[in-house]
Amino acid sequence: MVATCSYEARRYGVHSAMPISEAARRLPPETVYVRPSMERYARVSRQIMEVLGTLAPVVEKISIDEAFMDMSGTGRLYGTPEDAGNRIKDQVRTKTGLSLSIGIAANHYLAKLASEYCKPDGLYFVQSGQEIPFLDRLTLGSLWGVGEKTRQRLAELNITSIQALRDVPLDILRSMMGE
């Protein structure tokens, strides 16, 4: 099973949780495979979470390498949301030598999408009132929680963009896709 992959490997359609046999079929023969060191990964994750904990009153760890931070009320300390995000990136880089991507938005879902949108090593702020234009720049495949089977089903229903998905009434979507 692929634990994680480089951005170079992703260009070949390889992704986390893919069977290694499938990844090997997609990748060129000179590909280098590295066994993970979960002990080191966990140690660095703890270091990053410690940095985050010094900067925000609420840090919600959602996986070994992802967290949501509630930065509400920290404007006087850190300035604009972008300033705060850059401070987080700088402190993590100083402590661990690693880069990270940060998505800033009014809710978890949009923050996650913004983080994915600016990988690698980016920072993207979805400003209030700009949520719909931001979403419309994305593909259906970039929606968190929409996998291959859901994308296929949506395509069968002639829903090929986020805007088209938004235009379908919720009760009709439920009848077509289930709860």
Side-chain angles (χ1 to χ4, degrees):
M1 193 66 63
V2 175
T4 189
C5 57
S6 67
Y7 288 97
E8 295 82 5
R10 291 175 193 205
R11 281 184 246 154
Y12 291 93
V14 175
H15 55 81
S16 299
M18 175 181 277
I20 196 72
S21 59
E22 175 64 23
R25 280 192 291 278
R26 295 177 183 214
L27 293 167
E30 65 272 11
T31 298
V32 175
Y33 298 85
V34 179
R35 289 202 176 274
S37 168
M38 289 309 294
E39 179 183 308
R40 181 168 186 255
Y41 202 42
R43 184 178 69 250
V44 173
S45 173
R46 283 190 300 275
Q47 290 176 318
I48 292 170
M49 296 304 159
E50 285 172 13
V51 169
L52 302 183
T54 67
L55 297 169
V58 178
V59 177
E60 181 184 344
K61 184 176 177 180
I62 61 169
S63 71
I64 196 165
D65 65 352
E66 286 187 274
F68 291 112
M69 300 170 68
D70 183 348
M71 300 294 288
S72 301
T74 63
R76 284 189 169 191
L77 287 172
Y78 305 128
T80 68
E82 292 97 329
D83 291 341
N86 283 316
R87 174 178 241 158
I88 294 164
K89 289 170 68 62
D90 290 344
Q91 288 195 18
V92 167
R93 190 180 317 270
T94 298
K95 176 92 176 192
T96 68
L98 296 175
S99 65
L100 68 156
S101 297
I102 294 180
I104 303 169
N107 62 55
H108 285 65
Y109 192 84
L110 286 172
K112 169 71 173 170
L113 293 178
S115 174
E116 293 293 325
Y117 183 73
C118 67
K119 287 185 182 256
D121 193 25
L123 186 150
Y124 193 85
F125 178 23
V126 181
Q127 295 187 27
S128 178
Q130 295 302 307
E131 296 87 353
I132 298 299
F134 169 69
L135 287 169
D136 285 347
R137 285 195 295 274
L138 306 178
T139 64
L140 283 173
S142 62
L143 292 178
W144 191 24
V146 176
E148 183 65 30
K149 289 183 180 180
T150 301
R151 285 193 307 272
Q152 288 173 358
R153 178 70 178 124
L154 290 171
E156 290 168 8
L157 300 168
N158 265 349
I159 300 170
T160 58
S161 70
I162 291 175
Q163 182 174 357
L165 179 62
R166 190 173 53 252
D167 290 342
V168 178
L170 189 55
D171 58 328
I172 293 174
L173 267 180
R174 282 189 178 126
S175 71
M176 293 186 299
M177 304 293 292
E179 290 292 323

